[in-house]
Amino acid sequence: MKPKSDLPCLITPDIMSFHAQERETNILTIYNHHEFAIQYKIKSTSPKMFHVGSSSGTIRPQASLEITIDLQKNASDLVPQGSTSRDKFMVEVSADGSTTQKIIKVTVEFPLQSPPLPDFLKPENLLKVVATVRKLMPIILGALLVYFITFSPSDVLSTAKLWGVFILGLAVMFATIKRQP
């Protein structure tokens, strides 16, 4: 015997969450505990952002159906970085004129993506860079001395300021870097 008005049906989960940096898949499960087949249809507020494995179909009596919902590859192009998208899925289940609708809330986090560090600034390579600069320091100082000797006093004065700032920067870098044991 089919109900005339409301069609009770168990649909899980109530809330879905995605993280844009990870290619996640969520599973939506519809349980048909009735003695008759039911039809379902899934709609989204952001169809360009999500791929629904099977957006409509029929579920046999006393059966359940798991539907995969994936975040599209280009989803991060649709929402600004550092924001959270709040979307919804509407699951509509029907049989012989009786219909049930359930709203499933979906959040997608789009974290800020900083550009990758150059290799020489990565922590594991920083000590190698410092060691290389320390080895080159006599060459740098020798080149600076030759430069001071070969150019006129006005050129030397303006260049000395630049080199002074450079050497001061190196000194600060050496003083602040912790040595590994």
Side-chain angles (χ1 to χ4, degrees):
M1 183 164 136
K2 297 179 185 178
K4 299 273 184 207
S5 58
D6 199 20
L7 182 67
C9 195
L10 179 60
I11 302 169
T12 60
D14 294 330
I15 298 172
M16 288 186 184
S17 180
F18 293 90
H19 299 280
Q21 288 182 330
E22 303 164 14
R23 294 283 299 149
E24 290 182 90
T25 297
N26 274 281
I27 304 291
L28 175 73
T29 306
I30 304 173
Y31 298 93
N32 179 9
H33 60 275
H34 300 287
E35 299 294 327
F36 50 88
I38 60 173
Q39 288 74 43
Y40 71 93
K41 188 169 191 170
I42 302 171
K43 297 178 183 178
S44 171
T45 55
S46 297
K48 291 182 180 179
M49 193 176 303
F50 302 101
H51 174 263
V52 179
S54 176
S55 61
S56 63
T58 302
I59 303 173
R60 296 186 325 258
Q62 303 290 321
S64 66
L65 179 66
E66 291 186 345
I67 301 159
T68 59
I69 298 178
D70 299 309
L71 191 62
Q72 295 279 23
K73 289 179 184 177
N74 66 340
S76 57
D77 297 339
L78 304 172
V79 178
Q81 289 183 12
S83 65
T84 300
S85 170
R86 301 199 189 287
D87 299 295
K88 295 176 184 171
F89 285 104
M90 182 185 71
V91 181
E92 188 176 270
V93 178
S94 63
D96 276 349
S98 297
T99 302
T100 295
Q101 292 181 347
K102 181 171 183 175
I103 303 296
I104 297 169
K105 296 178 182 178
V106 181
T107 58
V108 184
E109 295 180 16
F110 294 89
L112 288 173
Q113 296 177 354
S114 56
L117 284 175
D119 283 341
F120 70 91
L121 288 179
K122 291 183 180 174
E124 62 269 13
N125 296 331
L126 196 55
L127 290 176
K128 293 176 189 174
V129 170
V130 170
T132 303
V133 170
R134 283 183 179 165
K135 287 178 185 175
L136 294 175
M137 190 55 79
I139 296 170
I140 294 170
L141 292 175
L144 183 60
L145 183 61
V146 168
Y147 189 80
F148 284 146
I149 294 170
T150 57
F151 289 97
S152 68
S154 64
D155 290 340
V156 170
L157 185 60
S158 62
T159 305
K161 289 179 185 175
L162 289 173
W163 278 103
V165 169
F166 174 72
I167 292 172
L168 181 63
L170 287 176
V172 169
M173 182 177 80
F174 290 135
T176 57
I177 293 178
K178 296 179 182 176
R179 295 183 186 210
Q180 289 185 342

